[in-house]
Amino acid sequence: MGKSWRTAWIAMACAALAANPAMADDGERMIAEVNELRASNGLPPVTRSPALTHSAERFAATQMRTDSFGHGPVIRTRGTWSALGEAISMHRGRRPRVGMTLRRWLRSPPHASLLLNPLFTEAGAGLSRGRYGRGIATIWVIRLGRG
């Protein structure tokens, strides 16, 4: 009975993810939330960029692996961009906390102006979860660009 219960639970979880694809990828959820924010401010949405997503995910993972947190001197990503911007955030625990992270960025004038900049047309978001210092943390990186 235990094995069939686990199988049923896994099937239900997969069905929930299929019914709500945004649950499957926290980075896509973050971009969707940013787009809701932009729409409420009369701005066009940003589209998800595979290059910026890959870059954001790698930078978040690097910061977690190296126990460091901060902006680098340059944003490294594939492609040619006429403008690039970045926001980073960290919180305790493994939950993604998309809404909380976005609210934190909005309380910071430089981060809010970045997210609400009509110049940007593409974005990629990534996070890394793991041991940071003496605790468990989640690091978020969102990168915005204009091709």
Side-chain angles (χ1 to χ4, degrees):
M1 181 163 163
K3 191 173 185 179
S4 64
W5 182 85
R6 273 193 304 263
T7 303
W9 187 87
I10 291 169
M12 287 178 14
C14 289
L17 289 174
N20 186 358
M23 287 176 54
D25 186 303
D26 296 318
E28 288 179 15
R29 282 183 46 215
M30 178 61 80
I31 292 172
E33 293 280 333
V34 167
N35 279 333
E36 284 182 29
L37 170 70
R38 289 172 66 90
S40 70
N41 284 275
L43 296 170
V46 291
T47 59
R48 184 176 174 275
S49 159
L52 290 174
T53 299
H54 180 74
S55 175
E57 290 169 346
R58 285 182 54 99
F59 190 56
T62 296
Q63 290 194 88
M64 185 66 71
R65 186 180 66 253
T66 60
D67 234 18
S68 60
F69 183 75
H71 296 283
V74 295
I75 296 174
R76 299 191 190 287
T77 185
R78 287 184 223 120
T80 303
W81 304 92
S82 61
L84 287 168
E86 171 186 83
I88 60 175
S89 182
M90 180 172 36
H91 63 266
R92 289 187 202 195
R94 297 183 63 81
R95 291 181 39 217
R97 299 186 181 186
V98 172
M100 181 193 80
T101 301
L102 188 56
R103 285 188 300 276
R104 280 184 175 178
W105 284 333
L106 290 175
R107 285 194 299 264
S108 161
H111 292 100
S113 66
L114 175 81
L115 297 173
L116 295 172
N117 189 329
L119 173 76
F120 294 119
T121 57
E122 298 181 57
L127 73 156
S128 182
R129 301 172 178 126
R131 180 154 300 281
Y132 186 91
R134 295 180 146 194
I136 301 298
T138 297
I139 295 175
W140 272 102
V141 176
I142 188 167
R143 291 189 162 168
L144 297 109
R146 179 178 187 89

